[in-house]
Amino acid sequence: MSKKEPDKGETRIRKYIKSLIRNKKYLTVEDICLYLERYYKVPIHIPSVFYKYKKIINECRKEVYRERQRERRRKRKQKGD
């Protein structure tokens, strides 16, 4: 693992962010940050912290969207059989 690529382990906050993305219709980055501030006491008002979590949120969103695509493909294949 290089210095530029930190560990992307499934932390509590990452799991929480993914669950928000999955279970809510659509939340902006700011909305998710407000949830993090409320429940995990993350100091979002500090710009560096905000941008760090903004990056994490966007990564989680991509992962969740990839999962959805995989499920749709699987369902389509099963339907075709």
Side-chain angles (χ1 to χ4, degrees):
M1 186 167 38
S2 67
K3 275 188 175 180
K4 289 185 179 180
E5 201 169 319
D7 183 29
K8 288 193 209 173
E10 283 296 306
T11 61
R12 281 185 314 154
I13 291 181
R14 277 184 174 271
K15 287 180 183 177
Y16 180 67
I17 292 169
K18 285 182 181 181
S19 71
L20 286 174
I21 294 168
R22 280 187 198 109
N23 298 330
K24 305 285 184 186
K25 189 170 177 95
Y26 181 80
L27 290 175
T28 62
V29 172
E30 290 80 11
D31 294 335
I32 294 172
C33 283
L34 290 173
Y35 277 108
L36 291 176
E37 195 170 31
R38 183 183 299 156
Y39 295 113
Y40 287 99
K41 309 293 187 249
V42 177
I44 295 299
H45 59 277
I46 300 171
S48 61
V49 175
F50 174 77
Y51 289 114
K52 174 187 172 187
Y53 280 97
K54 182 178 178 181
K55 182 180 175 191
I56 291 172
I57 290 167
N58 287 331
E59 288 172 2
C60 290
R61 186 171 274 139
K62 283 180 185 175
E63 289 175 27
V64 169
Y65 289 171
R66 264 189 236 122
E67 289 171 12
R68 285 184 191 167
Q69 283 300 113
R70 268 189 235 120
E71 287 175 22
R72 286 185 189 136
R73 283 189 203 122
R74 236 183 260 136
K75 285 180 183 176
R76 234 182 265 142
K77 279 186 179 181
Q78 288 176 352
K79 191 177 178 182
D81 288 342

